[in-house]
Amino acid sequence: QKEVEQNSGPLSVPEGAIASLNCTYSDRGSQSFFWYRQYSGKSPELIMSIYSNGDKEDGRFTAQLNKASQYVSLLIRDSQPSDSATYLCAVLTGAGGSYIPTFGRGTSLIVHP
Amino acid sequence: GAVVSQHPSRVICKSGTSVKIECRSLDFQATTMFWYRQFPKQSLMLMATSNEGSKATYEQGVEKDKFLINHASLTLSTLTVTSAHPEDSSFYICSALPLAGYYNEQFFGPGTRLTVL
């Protein structure tokens, strides 16, 4: 069974600090990796996607992927109170119209002023 | 781009009735659409995967006769909750995988909150 593990938190950081969110996955065949942000009562919103080993930066967000360790992380620099949300790690396996998404349970992030 | 809509956003119905939820990709065609359910303070639960023109694939424990999925076109999928009961009350969310332009990125609709009385 494919699994994606995340620490449920809450992770509490002060405003302006770096928030570090981590995720591990069980299926070595996973090809695509994503981070979603979900505010309470809302649907998930895509923040970052990453497909190859290394770092990918987009504004204040950096995703890191290490396929050998089956590990994905998300760094949020200069954290703001508006970043307070649940962050979902997701992996996608498959091809040719047959895909299987697997989500972690999410990490709750609290950014306090 | 990559906008997904859902209708209705909120529905309240009586026990025993059926409810249809529509999921549309507004500015792209989707090879695959997914349907999820989320209970309060719990994680997303994948219910089923639908591909245009094919029967949906349901996850283990999801009753296919209760949750009917139709993927009529590359921009529309519907979920019908038949004979709804209070335990079906939940937040139902669809997502779509674009046919082209985005590499395997799922885009989510805003969700439908179902309350069964």
Side-chain angles (χ1 to χ4, degrees):
Chain A
Q1 184 173 347
K2 300 174 176 55
E3 293 183 346
V4 176
E5 298 288 340
Q6 293 181 256
N7 187 319
S8 62
L11 172 65
S12 182
V13 300
E15 184 174 357
I18 296 175
S20 177
L21 304 163
N22 305 311
C23 166
T24 58
Y25 60 95
S26 64
D27 184 1
R28 284 193 175 275
S30 300
Q31 305 121 325
S32 308
F33 307 86
F34 309 92
W35 284 98
Y36 289 84
R37 176 175 61 198
Q38 187 176 26
Y39 293 111
S40 180
K42 303 293 185 182
S43 67
E45 171 192 11
L46 181 66
I47 296 177
M48 293 285 289
S49 57
I50 187 166
Y51 309 101
S52 55
N53 283 327
D55 295 359
K56 179 181 178 183
E57 185 175 321
D58 184 0
R60 296 187 295 115
F61 300 97
T62 299
Q64 299 174 316
L65 174 62
N66 184 325
K67 289 186 178 180
S69 301
Q70 295 175 244
Y71 175 89
V72 193
S73 67
L74 179 71
L75 298 177
I76 305 175
R77 289 180 298 282
D78 188 24
S79 296
Q80 301 297 308
S82 58
D83 295 326
S84 299
T86 296
Y87 288 79
L88 303 172
C89 175
V91 303
L92 192 71
T93 308
S98 179
Y99 296 96
I100 302 173
T102 306
F103 280 79
R105 298 178 67 84
T107 298
S108 174
L109 173 66
I110 299 172
V111 181
H112 53 88
Chain B
V3 178
V4 177
S5 71
Q6 265 184 260
H7 179 79
S9 58
R10 187 180 294 268
V11 58
I12 301 172
C13 68
K14 293 182 178 179
S15 185
T17 60
S18 294
V19 174
K20 179 185 281 189
I21 302 170
E22 288 189 351
C23 176
R24 290 182 185 272
S25 55
L26 297 184
D27 51 1
F28 65 95
Q29 292 181 323
T31 53
T32 302
M33 290 185 173
F34 301 101
W35 287 95
Y36 296 86
R37 181 167 56 180
Q38 189 173 37
F39 293 107
K41 298 193 184 302
Q42 294 192 20
S43 61
L44 284 175
M45 188 195 84
L46 179 65
M47 299 175 66
T49 302
S50 73
N51 290 296
E52 185 264 343
S54 304
K55 287 186 178 180
T57 302
Y58 291 82
E59 295 300 300
Q60 192 172 6
V62 177
E63 300 174 58
K64 63 180 180 181
D65 294 330
K66 181 169 185 63
F67 299 99
L68 302 179
I69 292 172
N70 183 280
H71 197 147
S73 72
L74 287 173
T75 60
L76 173 64
S77 177
T78 60
L79 167 69
T80 301
V81 183
T82 63
S83 187
H85 288 95
E87 57 266 30
D88 298 323
S89 298
S90 188
F91 191 41
Y92 292 86
I93 315 171
C94 72
S95 72
L97 276 180
L99 184 62
Y102 301 90
Y103 186 60
N104 287 348
E105 292 177 344
Q106 279 186 78
F107 293 93
F108 283 85
T112 296
R113 194 161 302 281
L114 171 63
T115 303
V116 185
L117 303 176

Short mmCIF file of all heavy atoms in Angstrom, two decimals, chain A residues 7-56:
data_model
loop_
_atom_site.label_atom_id
_atom_site.label_comp_id
_atom_site.label_asym_id
_atom_site.label_seq_id
_atom_site.Cartn_x
_atom_site.Cartn_y
_atom_site.Cartn_z
N ASN A 7 4.45 14.68 9.60
CA ASN A 7 4.20 14.99 10.99
C ASN A 7 2.97 15.90 11.05
O ASN A 7 2.90 16.90 10.35
CB ASN A 7 5.42 15.73 11.58
CG ASN A 7 5.29 15.92 13.07
OD1 ASN A 7 4.22 16.23 13.59
ND2 ASN A 7 6.38 15.72 13.77
N SER A 8 2.00 15.54 11.88
CA SER A 8 0.75 16.30 11.90
C SER A 8 0.89 17.68 12.52
O SER A 8 0.06 18.56 12.29
CB SER A 8 -0.34 15.51 12.62
OG SER A 8 0.04 15.30 13.96
N GLY A 9 1.97 17.86 13.33
CA GLY A 9 2.16 19.16 13.97
C GLY A 9 1.24 19.32 15.17
O GLY A 9 0.82 18.34 15.77
N PRO A 10 0.92 20.57 15.54
CA PRO A 10 1.22 21.77 14.77
C PRO A 10 2.68 22.21 14.88
O PRO A 10 3.32 22.01 15.89
CB PRO A 10 0.30 22.83 15.36
CG PRO A 10 0.11 22.38 16.77
CD PRO A 10 0.12 20.88 16.74
N LEU A 11 3.15 22.79 13.77
CA LEU A 11 4.45 23.41 13.73
C LEU A 11 4.23 24.90 13.94
O LEU A 11 3.53 25.53 13.17
CB LEU A 11 5.13 23.15 12.38
CG LEU A 11 6.43 23.88 12.10
CD1 LEU A 11 7.52 23.40 13.06
CD2 LEU A 11 6.87 23.67 10.65
N SER A 12 4.82 25.43 14.98
CA SER A 12 4.63 26.84 15.31
C SER A 12 5.94 27.60 15.10
O SER A 12 6.97 27.21 15.67
CB SER A 12 4.15 26.99 16.76
OG SER A 12 3.91 28.34 17.07
N VAL A 13 5.90 28.65 14.29
CA VAL A 13 7.10 29.45 14.04
C VAL A 13 6.74 30.92 14.16
O VAL A 13 5.59 31.31 13.92
CB VAL A 13 7.69 29.18 12.63
CG1 VAL A 13 8.08 27.72 12.48
CG2 VAL A 13 6.75 29.61 11.53
N PRO A 14 7.69 31.76 14.54
CA PRO A 14 7.41 33.19 14.61
C PRO A 14 7.43 33.81 13.22
O PRO A 14 8.06 33.30 12.28
CB PRO A 14 8.56 33.72 15.47
CG PRO A 14 9.67 32.76 15.25
CD PRO A 14 9.03 31.42 15.04
N GLU A 15 6.74 34.90 13.09
CA GLU A 15 6.71 35.62 11.83
C GLU A 15 8.13 35.99 11.40
O GLU A 15 8.94 36.43 12.22
CB GLU A 15 5.87 36.90 11.99
CG GLU A 15 5.68 37.70 10.71
CD GLU A 15 4.73 38.87 10.91
OE1 GLU A 15 4.18 39.02 12.03
OE2 GLU A 15 4.55 39.64 9.95
N GLY A 16 8.42 35.78 10.11
CA GLY A 16 9.74 36.08 9.59
C GLY A 16 10.71 34.92 9.61
O GLY A 16 11.76 34.97 8.96
N ALA A 17 10.38 33.87 10.31
CA ALA A 17 11.26 32.70 10.42
C ALA A 17 11.07 31.77 9.22
O ALA A 17 10.18 31.97 8.38
CB ALA A 17 10.97 31.94 11.71
N ILE A 18 11.92 30.76 9.15
CA ILE A 18 11.80 29.72 8.12
C ILE A 18 11.01 28.55 8.69
O ILE A 18 11.32 28.04 9.76
CB ILE A 18 13.18 29.24 7.66
CG1 ILE A 18 13.97 30.36 6.99
CG2 ILE A 18 13.03 28.05 6.69
CD1 ILE A 18 15.39 29.99 6.60
N ALA A 19 9.97 28.15 7.96
CA ALA A 19 9.21 26.96 8.34
C ALA A 19 9.68 25.80 7.47
O ALA A 19 9.80 25.94 6.25
CB ALA A 19 7.72 27.19 8.14
N SER A 20 9.93 24.67 8.10
CA SER A 20 10.41 23.49 7.39
C SER A 20 9.42 22.35 7.55
O SER A 20 9.14 21.92 8.67
CB SER A 20 11.79 23.08 7.94
OG SER A 20 12.24 21.90 7.29
N LEU A 21 8.90 21.88 6.45
CA LEU A 21 7.90 20.82 6.46
C LEU A 21 8.47 19.60 5.74
O LEU A 21 9.09 19.73 4.68
CB LEU A 21 6.62 21.29 5.75
CG LEU A 21 6.02 22.57 6.32
CD1 LEU A 21 5.06 23.20 5.34
CD2 LEU A 21 5.33 22.28 7.63
N ASN A 22 8.23 18.44 6.30
CA ASN A 22 8.86 17.23 5.77
C ASN A 22 7.84 16.15 5.44
O ASN A 22 6.75 16.10 6.02
CB ASN A 22 9.84 16.67 6.79
CG ASN A 22 10.87 17.71 7.21
OD1 ASN A 22 11.48 18.35 6.37
ND2 ASN A 22 11.05 17.87 8.51
N CYS A 23 8.26 15.26 4.56
CA CYS A 23 7.35 14.22 4.07
C CYS A 23 8.19 13.05 3.58
O CYS A 23 9.23 13.25 2.94
CB CYS A 23 6.52 14.83 2.92
SG CYS A 23 5.60 13.69 1.89
N THR A 24 7.76 11.84 3.87
CA THR A 24 8.39 10.65 3.30
C THR A 24 7.32 9.83 2.58
O THR A 24 6.14 9.90 2.92
CB THR A 24 9.06 9.78 4.38
OG1 THR A 24 8.07 9.39 5.34
CG2 THR A 24 10.18 10.51 5.07
N TYR A 25 7.76 9.08 1.58
CA TYR A 25 6.82 8.28 0.81
C TYR A 25 7.35 6.87 0.64
O TYR A 25 8.55 6.65 0.70
CB TYR A 25 6.54 8.93 -0.55
CG TYR A 25 7.75 9.10 -1.43
CD1 TYR A 25 8.09 8.16 -2.40
CD2 TYR A 25 8.57 10.22 -1.29
CE1 TYR A 25 9.20 8.32 -3.20
CE2 TYR A 25 9.70 10.39 -2.10
CZ TYR A 25 10.01 9.45 -3.04
OH TYR A 25 11.12 9.60 -3.83
N SER A 26 6.45 5.94 0.43
CA SER A 26 6.86 4.53 0.44
C SER A 26 7.10 3.95 -0.94
O SER A 26 7.90 3.01 -1.08
CB SER A 26 5.80 3.69 1.16
OG SER A 26 4.57 3.74 0.45
N ASP A 27 6.46 4.50 -1.97
CA ASP A 27 6.53 3.89 -3.30
C ASP A 27 7.69 4.48 -4.10
O ASP A 27 7.63 5.64 -4.52
CB ASP A 27 5.21 4.10 -4.04
CG ASP A 27 5.17 3.41 -5.39
OD1 ASP A 27 6.16 2.73 -5.77
OD2 ASP A 27 4.15 3.53 -6.08
N ARG A 28 8.70 3.66 -4.34
CA ARG A 28 9.86 4.15 -5.10
C ARG A 28 9.51 4.46 -6.55
O ARG A 28 10.27 5.14 -7.24
CB ARG A 28 10.97 3.09 -5.08
CG ARG A 28 11.72 3.02 -3.77
CD ARG A 28 13.00 2.20 -3.89
NE ARG A 28 13.76 2.25 -2.65
CZ ARG A 28 14.62 3.22 -2.35
NH1 ARG A 28 14.83 4.19 -3.21
NH2 ARG A 28 15.27 3.21 -1.21
N GLY A 29 8.36 3.98 -7.01
CA GLY A 29 7.93 4.26 -8.38
C GLY A 29 7.26 5.61 -8.54
O GLY A 29 6.90 5.98 -9.66
N SER A 30 7.09 6.35 -7.47
CA SER A 30 6.46 7.67 -7.57
C SER A 30 7.30 8.60 -8.42
O SER A 30 8.53 8.62 -8.30
CB SER A 30 6.27 8.27 -6.17
OG SER A 30 5.46 7.43 -5.36
N GLN A 31 6.62 9.37 -9.26
CA GLN A 31 7.37 10.20 -10.21
C GLN A 31 7.18 11.69 -9.98
O GLN A 31 8.01 12.50 -10.38
CB GLN A 31 6.94 9.89 -11.65
CG GLN A 31 7.04 8.44 -12.05
CD GLN A 31 5.69 7.90 -12.47
OE1 GLN A 31 4.66 8.25 -11.93
NE2 GLN A 31 5.69 7.01 -13.45
N SER A 32 6.05 12.04 -9.40
CA SER A 32 5.70 13.45 -9.29
C SER A 32 5.34 13.75 -7.85
O SER A 32 4.64 12.97 -7.20
CB SER A 32 4.50 13.78 -10.20
OG SER A 32 4.74 13.34 -11.52
N PHE A 33 5.79 14.92 -7.39
CA PHE A 33 5.66 15.25 -5.97
C PHE A 33 5.13 16.67 -5.84
O PHE A 33 5.56 17.57 -6.58
CB PHE A 33 7.01 15.10 -5.27
CG PHE A 33 7.63 13.75 -5.52
CD1 PHE A 33 8.40 13.52 -6.64
CD2 PHE A 33 7.41 12.70 -4.64
CE1 PHE A 33 8.95 12.27 -6.90
CE2 PHE A 33 7.95 11.45 -4.88
CZ PHE A 33 8.71 11.23 -6.01
N PHE A 34 4.22 16.85 -4.91
CA PHE A 34 3.54 18.14 -4.82
C PHE A 34 3.35 18.56 -3.37
O PHE A 34 3.23 17.73 -2.47
CB PHE A 34 2.14 18.05 -5.48
CG PHE A 34 2.17 17.46 -6.86
CD1 PHE A 34 2.01 16.10 -7.05
CD2 PHE A 34 2.40 18.26 -7.96
CE1 PHE A 34 2.05 15.55 -8.32
CE2 PHE A 34 2.45 17.73 -9.24
CZ PHE A 34 2.27 16.37 -9.42
N TRP A 35 3.30 19.86 -3.19
CA TRP A 35 2.87 20.44 -1.92
C TRP A 35 1.64 21.29 -2.16
O TRP A 35 1.60 22.12 -3.08
CB TRP A 35 3.98 21.30 -1.31
CG TRP A 35 5.07 20.51 -0.69
CD1 TRP A 35 6.27 20.18 -1.24
CD2 TRP A 35 5.07 19.91 0.61
NE1 TRP A 35 7.01 19.42 -0.37
CE2 TRP A 35 6.30 19.25 0.79
CE3 TRP A 35 4.14 19.89 1.67
CZ2 TRP A 35 6.63 18.56 1.96
CZ3 TRP A 35 4.47 19.21 2.83
CH2 TRP A 35 5.70 18.56 2.96
N TYR A 36 0.62 21.04 -1.33
CA TYR A 36 -0.62 21.80 -1.38
C TYR A 36 -0.82 22.51 -0.05
O TYR A 36 -0.43 22.00 1.01
CB TYR A 36 -1.83 20.89 -1.63
CG TYR A 36 -1.91 20.33 -3.03
CD1 TYR A 36 -1.22 19.17 -3.38
CD2 TYR A 36 -2.69 20.96 -4.01
CE1 TYR A 36 -1.29 18.65 -4.67
CE2 TYR A 36 -2.78 20.44 -5.29
CZ TYR A 36 -2.08 19.29 -5.61
OH TYR A 36 -2.16 18.79 -6.88
N ARG A 37 -1.45 23.65 -0.11
CA ARG A 37 -1.84 24.38 1.10
C ARG A 37 -3.35 24.32 1.20
O ARG A 37 -4.06 24.54 0.21
CB ARG A 37 -1.37 25.84 1.00
CG ARG A 37 -1.79 26.73 2.16
CD ARG A 37 -1.17 28.12 2.03
NE ARG A 37 -1.61 28.79 0.82
CZ ARG A 37 -0.97 29.84 0.30
NH1 ARG A 37 0.12 30.31 0.86
NH2 ARG A 37 -1.44 30.41 -0.80
N GLN A 38 -3.85 24.05 2.40
CA GLN A 38 -5.30 23.99 2.60
C GLN A 38 -5.67 24.81 3.83
O GLN A 38 -5.26 24.49 4.95
CB GLN A 38 -5.79 22.54 2.76
CG GLN A 38 -7.30 22.43 2.81
CD GLN A 38 -7.81 21.00 2.86
OE1 GLN A 38 -7.12 20.10 3.32
NE2 GLN A 38 -9.04 20.79 2.40
N TYR A 39 -6.45 25.85 3.59
CA TYR A 39 -7.00 26.63 4.69
C TYR A 39 -8.24 25.91 5.20
O TYR A 39 -8.91 25.17 4.46
CB TYR A 39 -7.35 28.04 4.24
CG TYR A 39 -6.15 28.90 3.88
CD1 TYR A 39 -5.91 29.29 2.56
CD2 TYR A 39 -5.26 29.32 4.86
CE1 TYR A 39 -4.81 30.07 2.23
CE2 TYR A 39 -4.15 30.10 4.54
CZ TYR A 39 -3.94 30.47 3.22
OH TYR A 39 -2.85 31.24 2.91
N SER A 40 -8.57 26.15 6.45
CA SER A 40 -9.71 25.49 7.08
C SER A 40 -10.99 25.74 6.29
O SER A 40 -11.32 26.89 5.99
CB SER A 40 -9.86 25.98 8.51
OG SER A 40 -10.95 25.36 9.15
N GLY A 41 -11.68 24.69 5.94
CA GLY A 41 -12.96 24.82 5.23
C GLY A 41 -12.83 25.05 3.74
O GLY A 41 -13.85 25.22 3.05
N LYS A 42 -11.60 25.07 3.23
CA LYS A 42 -11.37 25.30 1.80
C LYS A 42 -10.74 24.08 1.17
O LYS A 42 -10.26 23.17 1.85
CB LYS A 42 -10.46 26.52 1.60
CG LYS A 42 -10.99 27.80 2.23
CD LYS A 42 -12.25 28.28 1.54
CE LYS A 42 -12.69 29.62 2.10
NZ LYS A 42 -13.95 30.09 1.46
N SER A 43 -10.68 24.08 -0.16
CA SER A 43 -10.05 22.96 -0.85
C SER A 43 -8.55 23.23 -1.00
O SER A 43 -8.09 24.37 -0.84
CB SER A 43 -10.70 22.76 -2.23
OG SER A 43 -10.41 23.85 -3.07
N PRO A 44 -7.76 22.20 -1.30
CA PRO A 44 -6.31 22.37 -1.42
C PRO A 44 -5.93 23.25 -2.61
O PRO A 44 -6.58 23.25 -3.65
CB PRO A 44 -5.80 20.94 -1.62
CG PRO A 44 -6.86 20.07 -1.05
CD PRO A 44 -8.14 20.79 -1.36
N GLU A 45 -4.83 23.97 -2.42
CA GLU A 45 -4.31 24.85 -3.46
C GLU A 45 -2.86 24.43 -3.74
O GLU A 45 -2.06 24.30 -2.81
CB GLU A 45 -4.35 26.29 -2.94
CG GLU A 45 -3.66 27.32 -3.81
CD GLU A 45 -3.50 28.64 -3.09
OE1 GLU A 45 -3.73 28.71 -1.87
OE2 GLU A 45 -3.12 29.62 -3.75
N LEU A 46 -2.52 24.21 -5.00
CA LEU A 46 -1.17 23.79 -5.36
C LEU A 46 -0.16 24.91 -5.11
O LEU A 46 -0.35 26.04 -5.57
CB LEU A 46 -1.13 23.37 -6.83
CG LEU A 46 0.21 22.88 -7.36
CD1 LEU A 46 0.62 21.59 -6.69
CD2 LEU A 46 0.15 22.69 -8.87
N ILE A 47 0.91 24.57 -4.38
CA ILE A 47 1.98 25.53 -4.12
C ILE A 47 3.20 25.21 -4.97
O ILE A 47 3.78 26.09 -5.59
CB ILE A 47 2.38 25.52 -2.63
CG1 ILE A 47 1.23 25.97 -1.76
CG2 ILE A 47 3.58 26.42 -2.40
CD1 ILE A 47 1.59 25.89 -0.29
N MET A 48 3.63 23.96 -4.90
CA MET A 48 4.87 23.57 -5.58
C MET A 48 4.73 22.18 -6.16
O MET A 48 4.07 21.32 -5.59
CB MET A 48 6.04 23.55 -4.59
CG MET A 48 6.44 24.90 -4.04
SD MET A 48 7.34 25.89 -5.24
CE MET A 48 8.90 25.02 -5.32
N SER A 49 5.41 21.96 -7.26
CA SER A 49 5.56 20.63 -7.83
C SER A 49 7.05 20.39 -8.06
O SER A 49 7.79 21.34 -8.35
CB SER A 49 4.79 20.50 -9.14
OG SER A 49 5.22 21.48 -10.07
N ILE A 50 7.48 19.16 -7.90
CA ILE A 50 8.90 18.84 -8.13
C ILE A 50 8.99 17.43 -8.66
O ILE A 50 8.23 16.54 -8.22
CB ILE A 50 9.72 19.06 -6.84
CG1 ILE A 50 11.22 18.90 -7.11
CG2 ILE A 50 9.26 18.14 -5.70
CD1 ILE A 50 12.12 19.43 -5.98
N TYR A 51 9.90 17.21 -9.60
CA TYR A 51 9.94 15.92 -10.28
C TYR A 51 11.33 15.27 -10.27
O TYR A 51 11.46 14.08 -10.52
CB TYR A 51 9.49 16.09 -11.73
CG TYR A 51 8.17 16.81 -11.84
CD1 TYR A 51 8.13 18.15 -12.17
CD2 TYR A 51 6.97 16.14 -11.60
CE1 TYR A 51 6.91 18.83 -12.26
CE2 TYR A 51 5.75 16.80 -11.70
CZ TYR A 51 5.73 18.15 -12.03
OH TYR A 51 4.54 18.80 -12.12
N SER A 52 12.37 16.08 -10.03
CA SER A 52 13.72 15.53 -10.05
C SER A 52 14.45 15.90 -8.77
O SER A 52 14.07 16.86 -8.07
CB SER A 52 14.49 16.03 -11.28
OG SER A 52 14.49 17.44 -11.32
N ASN A 53 15.48 15.13 -8.46
CA ASN A 53 16.25 15.37 -7.24
C ASN A 53 16.81 16.79 -7.21
O ASN A 53 17.21 17.34 -8.23
CB ASN A 53 17.41 14.38 -7.15
CG ASN A 53 16.95 13.00 -6.72
OD1 ASN A 53 16.02 12.85 -5.94
ND2 ASN A 53 17.61 11.98 -7.23
N GLY A 54 16.83 17.35 -6.00
CA GLY A 54 17.40 18.66 -5.84
C GLY A 54 16.39 19.64 -5.30
O GLY A 54 15.39 19.26 -4.70
N ASP A 55 16.68 20.91 -5.50
CA ASP A 55 15.86 21.99 -4.99
C ASP A 55 15.13 22.69 -6.14
O ASP A 55 15.63 22.78 -7.25
CB ASP A 55 16.72 23.04 -4.28
CG ASP A 55 17.39 22.48 -3.03
OD1 ASP A 55 17.17 21.29 -2.72
OD2 ASP A 55 18.14 23.24 -2.38
N LYS A 56 13.94 23.18 -5.80
CA LYS A 56 13.18 24.01 -6.74
C LYS A 56 12.63 25.18 -5.95
O LYS A 56 11.95 24.99 -4.94
CB LYS A 56 12.05 23.21 -7.38
CG LYS A 56 11.20 24.03 -8.34
CD LYS A 56 10.09 23.19 -8.94
CE LYS A 56 9.20 24.01 -9.86
NZ LYS A 56 8.07 23.20 -10.38
#
